[in-house]
């Protein structure tokens, strides 16, 4: 009996050592290729040993943060943890993800927009619309066509699957009020949200996926066709059209039709329904007009950008993602947006599109509308300090390590992150101006 107990203890001890040592070996040797977790997270700062760092506690804290993100088999263990929480307790570990009825997936911000919880008020939306009206006229004098696009929202499209505890639709929402103001002020716009809701159940393939938050590829291509038609009408041009060859119905979902499900990082993804994937090409550009477009948008423009609108239909597209990252179609690498370069770019394109979905309308343009109003309507000139502050703000936002440091300072000082970014950028700008004067 003693031998059996001894053997059992040895087996248990060996198992415990194995559990401890295998992740350690994976961390250093990487003998197994882990599939990275989905979703963005600023990488932890590496810890470099020094006596000063040791005595201050910086090294221990920094190493602990780095180790928590880099230990062996972390992606696999996170997925196991998430799956157990979801399958046993119905918990979702992904930030802001809501599982609705029949396992329809939402992001909380869309539900808040649908119920009016994020409503910023009529006055603020009216000021925004009035500025767009004046800005539209000012840009038209420079032969630039301003166009506002309201992308669809999943909560508005699928309200029947929203959990009951989140409330019902409201008439006082950013989307509903802003759409009315755009129409009242005769501002060039396409209301894709309204269009999609009117087409619900009438299209051959789904306009919206069950497991994603963005419009389907099929729906996006319909929107592209509509957008090009609108530009042709407004500018009296003839652009190469989309030639729709066929649509393939598939159970194997492609990005972004399962973006929320993938972001939940489960072992077994929530199953959606088959989606349609268009096969298409664009007309030959011979004899067609050359038109360039600048777009300031949230993530809804990505599927349009990825269709290679330029150079297939448009001569050039500059995509200002949240008015921060600038993505190009002419071979240039990604750049960061500054007011100076953005205003120059806006004047250098034929069409300027500002797009937002229902949960981002409160911040549509992400600072561009006010900056453009100051520049094109009020003809304000930026000071040297403002230009440098913008430069450093962009540098901070593009540097993951720097951003992580700023987040820590914001928490320590108990102020909003944007305020901390501005203060650090202002300090760097003033230092640079001091050095220039020496």
């Amino acid at each position: 009996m003693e031998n059996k107990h001894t053997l059992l203890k040895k087996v248990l001890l060996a198992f415990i050592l194995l559990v401890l040592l295998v992740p350690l070996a994976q961390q250093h040797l990487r003998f197994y290729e882990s599939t990275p977790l989905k979703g963005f997270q600023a990488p932890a700062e590496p810890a470099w040993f020094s006596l000063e760092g040791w005595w201050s506690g910086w090294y221990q804290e920094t190493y602990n943060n780095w180790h928590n993100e880099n230990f062996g088999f972390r992606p696999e263990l996170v997925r196991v943890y998430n799956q157990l929480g979801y399958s046993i307790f119905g918990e979702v570990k992904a930030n802001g993800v809501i599982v609705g009825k029949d396992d329809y997936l939402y992001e909380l911000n869309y539900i808040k927009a649908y119920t009016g919880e994020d409503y910023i008020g009529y006055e603020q939306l009216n000021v925004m619309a009035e500025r767009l009206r004046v800005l539209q006229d000012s840009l038209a004098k420079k032969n630039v066509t301003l166009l506002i696009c309201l992308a669809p929202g999943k909560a508005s499209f699928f309200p029947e699957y929203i959990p009951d505890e989140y409330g019902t639709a409201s008439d006082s929402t950013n989307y509903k009020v802003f759409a009315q103001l755009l129409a009242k002020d005769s501002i060039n716009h396409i209301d894709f949200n309204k269009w999609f809701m009117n087409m619900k159940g009438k299209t051959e393939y789904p306009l919206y996926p069950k497991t994603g938050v963005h419009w389907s590829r099929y729906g996006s291509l319909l929107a592209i066709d509509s957008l090009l038609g609108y530009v042709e009408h407004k500018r009296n041009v003839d652009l190469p059209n989309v030639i729709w060859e066929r649509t393939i119905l598939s159970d194997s979902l492609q990005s972004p039709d399962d973006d929320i499900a993938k972001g939940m990082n489960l072992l077994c993804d929530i199953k959606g329904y088959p989606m349609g994937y268009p096969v298409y090409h664009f007309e030959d550009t011979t004899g067609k007009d050359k038109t360039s477009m600048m777009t300031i948008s949230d993530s809804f423009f990505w599927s349009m950008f990825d269709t290679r609108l330029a150079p297939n239909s448009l001569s050039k597209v500059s995509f200002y993602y949240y008015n921060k990252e600038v993505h190009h179609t002419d071979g240039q690498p990604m750049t960061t947006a500054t007011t100076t370069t953005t205003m120059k770019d806006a004047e250098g394109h034929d069409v300027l599109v500002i797009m937002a979905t229902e949960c981002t309308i409160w911040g549509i343009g992400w600072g561009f509308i006010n900056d453009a109003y100051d520049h094109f309507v009020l003809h304000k000139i930026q000071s040297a300090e403002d230009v440098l502050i913008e430069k450093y703000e962009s540098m901070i936002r593009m540097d993951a390590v720097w951003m992580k440091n700023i987040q820590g300072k914001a928490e320590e000082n108990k102020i909003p992150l944007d305020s901390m970014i501005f203060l650090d950028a202002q300090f760097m700008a003033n230092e640079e101006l001091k050095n220039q004067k020496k």
Side-chain angles (χ1 to χ4, degrees):
M1 184 68 72
E2 273 187 37
N3 289 336
K4 286 185 178 180
H5 286 165
T6 302
L7 179 62
L8 180 60
K9 289 178 181 178
K10 288 181 178 179
V11 170
L12 288 174
L13 179 60
F15 177 74
I16 292 170
L17 289 173
L18 189 67
V19 169
L20 293 173
L21 292 176
V22 170
L24 185 63
Q26 167 68 7
Q27 177 180 328
H28 293 282
L29 302 177
R30 300 296 177 187
F31 56 84
Y32 174 80
E33 190 67 32
S34 292
T35 302
L37 296 171
K38 299 294 183 180
F40 173 76
Q41 181 180 359
E45 180 183 2
W48 305 105
F49 181 80
S50 67
L51 288 176
E52 182 183 354
W54 176 267
W55 291 117
S56 68
W58 174 88
Y59 173 78
Q60 295 91 323
E61 182 181 354
T62 305
Y63 179 80
N64 187 55
N65 291 335
W66 178 88
H67 183 268
N68 285 342
E69 290 185 14
N70 292 277
F71 63 84
F73 295 112
R74 179 178 182 270
E76 289 75 20
L77 293 172
V78 167
R79 290 189 177 95
V80 170
Y81 175 72
N82 289 352
Q83 188 70 57
L84 290 173
Y86 177 72
S87 300
I88 298 175
F89 304 106
E91 296 177 352
V92 177
K93 304 300 180 182
N95 188 35
V97 172
I98 303 298
V99 179
K101 300 171 185 176
D102 294 338
D103 284 339
Y104 273 72
L105 302 181
Y106 298 86
E107 284 187 354
L108 180 58
N109 287 339
Y110 287 83
I111 296 176
K112 287 182 175 181
Y114 174 72
T115 59
E117 192 174 337
D118 69 347
Y119 183 52
I120 60 176
Y122 179 87
E123 288 187 12
Q124 193 167 336
L125 292 168
N126 189 47
V127 168
M128 196 185 303
E130 288 177 348
R131 289 197 166 195
L132 284 171
R133 169 73 256 184
V134 179
L135 184 59
Q136 177 175 281
D137 294 340
S138 296
L139 289 171
K141 293 175 183 176
K142 298 178 178 292
N143 197 28
V144 178
T145 302
L146 177 65
L147 171 60
I148 309 301
C149 291
L150 304 180
K154 190 169 187 179
S156 290
F157 192 80
F158 281 134
E160 64 270 31
Y161 299 108
I162 297 174
D164 295 334
E165 61 265 29
Y166 288 96
T168 57
S170 169
D171 288 330
S172 297
T173 69
N174 295 323
Y175 159 67
K176 289 180 179 178
V177 173
F178 193 55
Q180 292 169 2
L181 289 169
L182 291 176
K184 179 179 74 71
D185 292 342
S186 301
I187 298 168
N188 299 331
H189 72 282
I190 303 176
D191 190 345
F192 287 121
N193 197 30
K194 180 180 179 180
W195 186 42
F196 267 47
M197 287 188 285
N198 289 338
M199 289 197 296
K200 184 178 177 180
K202 301 174 185 177
T203 56
E204 190 174 356
Y205 301 94
L207 295 172
Y208 241 107
K210 178 179 178 179
T211 55
V213 73
H214 296 94
W215 46 19
S216 65
R217 289 201 183 182
Y218 171 81
S220 174
L221 199 62
L222 288 175
I224 286 173
D225 188 60
S226 177
L227 175 63
L228 293 176
Y230 192 96
V231 170
E232 286 182 317
H233 171 71
K234 279 292 178 181
R235 293 193 63 84
N236 192 28
V237 293
D238 183 21
L239 302 175
N241 296 316
V242 179
I243 306 299
W244 208 302
E245 299 173 20
R246 66 187 186 280
T247 302
I248 300 172
L249 189 67
S250 175
D251 286 310
S252 299
L253 302 188
Q254 302 174 24
S255 177
D257 292 342
D258 56 356
D259 54 5
I260 306 183
K262 292 294 186 187
M264 292 172 70
N265 289 306
L266 301 174
L267 285 174
C268 305
D269 287 337
I270 296 174
K271 187 172 177 58
Y273 41 67
M275 299 295 294
Y277 296 99
V279 178
Y280 61 93
H281 66 274
F282 288 86
E283 284 183 318
D284 192 285
T285 57
T286 305
K288 299 289 185 175
D289 292 305
K290 294 185 181 298
T291 302
S292 64
M293 176 187 291
M294 172 180 169
T295 302
I296 302 164
S297 177
D298 53 27
S299 55
F300 267 75
F301 189 69
W302 274 121
S303 54
M304 289 183 159
F305 188 77
D306 289 342
T307 60
R308 301 289 295 166
L309 269 173
N312 293 320
S313 185
L314 300 167
S315 58
K316 175 184 175 184
V317 173
S318 297
F319 174 23
Y320 281 67
Y321 181 52
Y322 283 103
N323 199 29
K324 293 177 184 175
E325 301 176 358
V326 189
H327 300 263
H328 307 273
T329 55
D330 56 3
Q332 294 184 55
M334 184 191 75
T335 55
T336 56
T338 66
T339 300
T340 303
T341 57
T342 303
M343 295 307 110
K344 184 178 179 180
D345 216 10
E347 196 168 354
H349 285 77
D350 302 308
V351 181
L352 172 58
V353 173
I354 305 176
M355 179 186 289
T357 187
E358 62 183 355
C359 75
T360 58
I361 284 176
W362 61 269
I364 187 170
W366 300 274
F368 173 83
I369 295 172
N370 289 337
D371 289 343
Y373 185 85
D374 288 344
H375 181 82
F376 292 111
V377 179
L378 301 181
H379 305 292
K380 288 184 178 179
I381 299 175
Q382 276 190 303
S383 67
E385 182 188 13
D386 288 339
V387 171
L388 287 174
I389 288 173
E390 278 201 348
K391 181 186 82 170
Y392 281 110
E393 281 185 328
S394 296
M395 289 171 65
I396 290 170
R397 293 180 187 279
M398 294 298 292
D399 189 314
V401 175
W402 200 347
M403 269 294 288
K404 197 172 184 70
N405 179 261
I406 296 291
Q407 286 171 343
K409 291 170 69 174
E411 291 172 5
E412 183 181 342
N413 292 284
K414 297 180 180 179
I415 63 175
L417 177 60
D418 284 345
S419 299
M420 196 69 247
I421 291 172
F422 173 79
L423 290 173
D424 262 46
Q426 186 180 51
F427 173 79
M428 297 295 294
N430 288 332
E431 288 298 304
E432 184 170 334
L433 288 172
K434 288 178 186 176
N435 291 333
Q436 289 176 1
K437 291 177 182 178
K438 289 180 181 179

